[in-house]
Amino acid sequence: MDNVKPNEVIRQLIELGVSKSNLKKREILLKGILSGALLVISTILAFTINIETGKGYAGALAFPVGFVIITLLGFELVTGNFATLPMSLLKKKIYGSQLVRNWGYAFAGNLIGSLFFAFLFYFYLTKGGTNFEHPLIGKTIEVATQKSLVYKKLGTTGWFIAFVKAFLCNWMVTMGVVMAFVSSSTIGKIIAIWLPIFTFFTLGLEHCVVNMFVLPTAILFKAPISISDWWLWNQIPATLGNLLGGFLMTGLSLYYLYRNHDEPQLMHNQERKS
């Protein structure tokens, strides 16, 4: 059986957090850039399938491709790190400064990677800015509008809707990170990761790294969205919601439940001595 028990999963996640906290700044940044670009590719793939099939869940089935690659290769996705590094901090294996350092450089790397691919996507899809008739352009603008101007129209209520959707989103995304450790086989990991990532995308929740691509790309496509609309009505509430959702619903809750991962072995040893 390749199933891994929850106590062992949390032990591995704590060690993963330690490993991530010890990466050099340039390593975090480069891994973050690659993660951002891979998530963009998955988003484009999902949009393409959605357009061709007319079914949102069909695109959502394909979206986890990028997340699987990111997770299996150990790249840096800030949303996943919102859960793993706090576990290591709570276990007193890393310092708060290491956590903030990782989050900062991972966020910057994800943003750079997303923007880099956004410009490439814009260039080839519009044939160098000369043709704006591709269906993906309309789809991107439609999604970006829902993720910004619709919230803006609702004012403060819209801001908190974006926050709540991001909170729920990263509960699922960080569960994808956790599920990567519930199996010792590659195929088992892939299937386990797929489940929560498919769920969040199907539900249309807010992922701050995905939005680092969707919103600025829509701006490039001449959508009536400003940079302040992007950040104030999406990027900021989405990032804060992702942070709290990942930390509270996954990092803190699972750490609390399974933090004493050495106790079963200790009890077993005591029984043998008696």
Side-chain angles (χ1 to χ4, degrees), residues 146-181:
Q146 291 293 322
K147 289 176 173 292
S148 58
L149 299 184
V150 170
Y151 297 145
K152 181 180 180 179
K153 185 177 181 180
L154 295 172
T156 303
T157 300
W159 195 96
F160 279 103
I161 290 173
F163 173 86
V164 169
K165 289 175 72 174
F167 183 95
L168 296 173
C169 171
N170 214 33
W171 182 12
M172 290 295 97
V173 172
T174 51
M175 284 305 298
V177 176
V178 173
M179 296 297 281
F181 289 86

Side-chain angles (χ1 to χ4, degrees), residues 29-249:
L29 196 62
L30 180 55
K31 287 185 173 185
I33 291 171
L34 294 172
S35 290
L38 284 166
L39 215 58
V40 169
I41 293 173
S42 293
T43 304
I44 296 170
L45 174 64
F47 284 179
T48 301
I49 294 174
N50 176 239
I51 291 170
E52 292 181 353
T53 64
K55 306 293 184 182
Y57 64 82
L61 278 170
F63 177 76
V65 168
F67 194 87
V68 167
I69 297 172
I70 290 166
T71 304
L72 295 184
L73 291 181
F75 291 159
E76 294 295 305
L77 192 63
V78 69
T79 47
N81 293 356
F82 285 155
T84 53
L85 271 78
M87 289 185 184
S88 305
L89 181 65
L90 290 167
K91 196 68 175 178
K92 298 181 179 180
K93 291 200 171 189
I94 67 172
Y95 296 106
S97 58
Q98 291 176 291
L99 176 146
V100 172
R101 170 178 166 273
N102 176 279
W103 284 0
Y105 279 94
F107 184 91
N110 293 164
L111 180 59
I112 293 169
S114 299
L115 292 176
F116 172 72
F117 207 100
F119 281 105
L120 296 179
F121 179 63
Y122 166 82
F123 180 77
Y124 82 74
L125 203 66
T126 64
K127 296 179 173 60
T130 62
N131 189 317
F132 289 82
E133 296 179 1
H134 197 288
L136 276 172
I137 294 175
K139 179 65 177 179
T140 303
I141 292 175
E142 176 191 347
V143 173
T145 300
Q146 291 293 322
K147 289 176 173 292
S148 58
L149 299 184
V150 170
Y151 297 145
K152 181 180 180 179
K153 185 177 181 180
L154 295 172
T156 303
T157 300
W159 195 96
F160 279 103
I161 290 173
F163 173 86
V164 169
K165 289 175 72 174
F167 183 95
L168 296 173
C169 171
N170 214 33
W171 182 12
M172 290 295 97
V173 172
T174 51
M175 284 305 298
V177 176
V178 173
M179 296 297 281
F181 289 86
V182 302
S183 172
S184 59
S185 71
T186 301
I187 188 64
K189 289 176 181 291
I190 291 172
I191 293 172
I193 292 169
W194 215 277
L195 301 175
I197 306 304
F198 164 73
T199 300
F200 108 73
F201 202 85
T202 301
L203 295 178
L205 302 177
E206 298 290 345
H207 189 273
C208 69
V209 180
V210 170
N211 296 344
M212 290 174 183
F213 160 72
V214 175
L215 275 295
T217 304
I219 293 172
L220 289 174
F221 288 152
K222 302 179 180 180
I225 301 169
S226 67
I227 293 177
S228 62
D229 289 335
W230 163 26
W231 281 89
L232 180 59
W233 298 104
N234 185 286
Q235 200 63 57
I236 292 174
T239 301
L240 293 175
N242 284 169
L243 192 161
L244 285 178
F247 169 62
L248 294 176
M249 303 308 295

